[in-house]
Amino acid sequence: MRTGVIAKKVGMTRLFQADGRHVPVTVLQLENVQVVARREMDKDGYTAVALGAGKAKAKNVAKPQRAAFGKAEVEPKARVVEFRVAEDALLDVGATLSADHFVAGQMVDVAGVTQGKGFAGAMKRWGFRGLRATHGVSVSHRSHGSTGNRQDPGRVFKNKKMAGHMGARNRTQQNLEVVRTDPIRGLLFIKGSVPGHKGSWLTVSDSVKLPRPDAAPYPAAILEGRKVEELEVPEAGLVDDAAVHEIPALPSDAEVAAIAAEQEAGAAAEAEAAAAAEAEAADAAQSAENEKASAAEDSSKPAPDADEGKEG
């Protein structure tokens, strides 16, 4: 298990594939993500790395934190997060992580605080229908209605869906795909939306439900000692080839004609079968009518006299 990274949400845009299809993405930026501390088993009882991102003014940082940053010989950070890692994935203090810590096509988990909506009513918060818009309702059209029973139980049950504070919750979006990385500018392009507003801090880590790709660097992608020329960046505005998913090929004209002929043959066979069934049903009805008429004719004949044929 390796460390994740701290990223700032820049906003949403879209990238294009070579065939013209577009992919909606969220842009995340790694702002000087450095290791500010490490936790070791023999000293702390567990293994982890503490990462810091962004930049904070020294006057806004408490003295203990300033001392910790000074000991690590890094500038004060705006955000510090600790990631549990395996013992062989510990990083040196002061190391800077690069955006190619993740690879295109990899699934990641993004955690952050959702957008706060303030105090919201039941219709907005829970999707309630509300009361009638006209007859019998006055000033209470958007209310949530009754919230309890009678004297027994005499209270409102916990977790009742009512009006209240909406949003501003810690949420993790799992199995989001990385479609592109830009280590020169420190950008991650994640397919889809992520929690939080623009400018909010997020944590990006390997997916806990899916295996890590073999191409992902282990224990981490360190920026020190690497030249800009060595960093590979896809063509601007395009999705990395590793994140392109092929769509099923459309059938050819010959296949379309064959399918249409097969459908027409099936329709003709069904029509013939239906016509044969109708003719058979008509024959059966005609036979039934003939039998009925014959029976009625026999019943209308007078019965023969019993004394006829006897000699006097």
Side-chain angles (χ1 to χ4, degrees):
M1 182 172 61
R2 62 177 193 157
T3 180
V5 298
I6 307 172
K8 177 179 286 188
K9 183 175 179 179
V10 179
M12 292 197 68
T13 182
R14 62 176 178 172
L15 299 178
F16 290 89
Q17 297 183 1
D19 58 0
R21 290 181 294 163
H22 74 92
V23 179
V25 296
T26 301
V27 184
L28 306 180
Q29 186 173 21
L30 278 64
E31 293 187 0
N32 197 19
V33 179
Q34 290 181 288
V35 180
V36 299
R38 52 185 282 167
R39 309 286 184 252
E40 300 179 0
M41 183 63 68
D42 55 353
K43 180 181 178 181
D44 303 292
Y46 66 100
T47 55
V49 293
L51 302 183
K55 185 177 180 180
K57 294 182 179 179
K59 67 182 184 67
N60 295 332
V61 179
K63 286 185 178 180
Q65 279 69 42
R66 270 187 283 176
F69 291 134
K71 182 179 179 181
E73 298 182 354
V74 297
E75 62 181 3
K77 301 294 184 181
R79 180 77 170 179
V80 177
V81 178
E82 190 173 281
F83 293 91
R84 292 289 187 102
V85 297
E87 193 168 356
D88 60 346
L90 287 171
L91 304 176
D92 296 332
V93 175
T96 303
L97 274 67
S98 173
D100 53 1
H101 182 73
F102 303 102
V103 295
Q106 179 181 357
M107 297 296 180
V108 296
D109 296 342
V110 182
V113 180
T114 59
Q115 297 182 16
K117 303 296 183 180
F119 191 95
M123 292 181 68
K124 179 177 180 179
R125 191 183 186 196
W126 302 109
F128 281 12
R129 183 178 60 183
L131 276 62
R132 295 189 62 177
T134 53
H135 304 293
V137 178
S138 299
V139 197
S140 301
H141 307 283
R142 296 182 62 85
S143 65
H144 49 61
S146 174
T147 59
N149 299 325
R150 303 177 68 179
Q151 184 174 352
D152 181 20
R155 63 186 177 90
V156 177
F157 292 114
K158 289 184 177 181
N159 300 321
K160 179 68 177 176
K161 293 182 179 179
M162 300 173 63
H165 189 266
M166 181 180 178
R169 307 280 184 173
N170 292 321
R171 291 292 181 266
T172 300
Q173 196 80 2
Q174 293 184 323
N175 299 335
L176 298 178
E177 184 180 12
V178 179
V179 298
R180 177 189 170 99
T181 60
D182 189 343
I184 296 178
R185 295 184 293 174
L187 299 179
L188 291 174
F189 296 87
I190 309 294
K191 183 177 181 179
S193 60
V194 300
H197 57 81
K198 294 180 182 179
S200 62
W201 292 104
L202 305 169
T203 60
V204 186
S205 56
D206 297 333
S207 174
V208 297
K209 293 183 177 180
L210 298 174
R212 184 181 70 251
D214 297 334
Y218 189 88
I222 306 300
L223 193 60
E224 282 83 4
R226 301 171 64 188
K227 298 180 180 180
V228 177
E229 294 78 8
E230 299 176 355
L231 303 176
E232 297 181 1
V233 180
E235 188 176 351
L238 294 180
V239 174
D240 195 296
D241 293 338
V244 174
H245 302 285
E246 296 294 337
I247 59 175
L250 296 176
S252 62
D253 295 339
E255 293 176 344
V256 171
I259 294 173
E262 184 179 354
Q263 292 177 348
E264 290 177 0
E270 291 180 358
E272 291 179 0
E278 290 179 0
E280 186 177 354
D283 294 342
Q286 186 64 35
S287 300
E289 290 181 1
N290 294 339
E291 292 179 359
K292 185 177 180 181
S294 177
E297 184 179 354
D298 293 342
S299 62
S300 63
K301 291 181 179 180
D305 191 355
D307 296 334
E308 289 183 3
K310 289 186 179 180
E311 297 180 356

